[in-house]
Amino acid sequence: MNKIIVVVANNNECIESLKKAGDSIGVEIKSEIQSEGKIKESTAVLFAIDGEVEEVEKIERFIDCEYYEVEEQFIKNDAKSVLQEILSDLN
């Protein structure tokens, strides 16, 4: 089964880092900047945002999702390791 992780972020820089890392390890990254909807088909949701998850718009969309919070600096430094840790937890 192909793993899909949805990233909720404040900016495209984190998203692009995660997409590159995901391509290198066979993980499909879908993203949203706070308002698009791609949640239902995801394996997990990764929040790469400043502030608290509770501040995300329409947070109730994520109630039935496996989710992870990661500071943007960790993604910028080593996005691949972040994804590998999530995958390890999901398996």
Side-chain angles (χ1 to χ4, degrees), residues 27-82:
V27 176
E28 184 177 353
I29 300 296
K30 298 197 176 194
S31 61
E32 74 170 58
I33 304 288
Q34 289 284 339
S35 62
E36 300 169 24
K38 297 174 183 161
I39 310 307
K40 292 179 181 165
E41 61 192 41
S42 70
T43 305
V45 177
L46 171 59
F47 292 101
I49 57 175
D50 296 327
E52 302 296 321
V53 169
E54 292 79 13
E55 297 171 5
V56 171
E57 295 172 18
K58 300 178 186 171
I59 190 68
E60 64 276 0
R61 298 175 292 158
F62 306 106
I63 287 175
D64 294 327
C65 298
E66 185 77 30
Y67 76 90
Y68 300 85
E69 298 176 65
V70 178
E71 292 180 28
E72 291 181 8
Q73 69 184 24
F74 294 115
I75 293 169
K76 292 174 186 174
N77 291 337
D78 195 356
K80 186 175 180 178
S81 290
V82 170

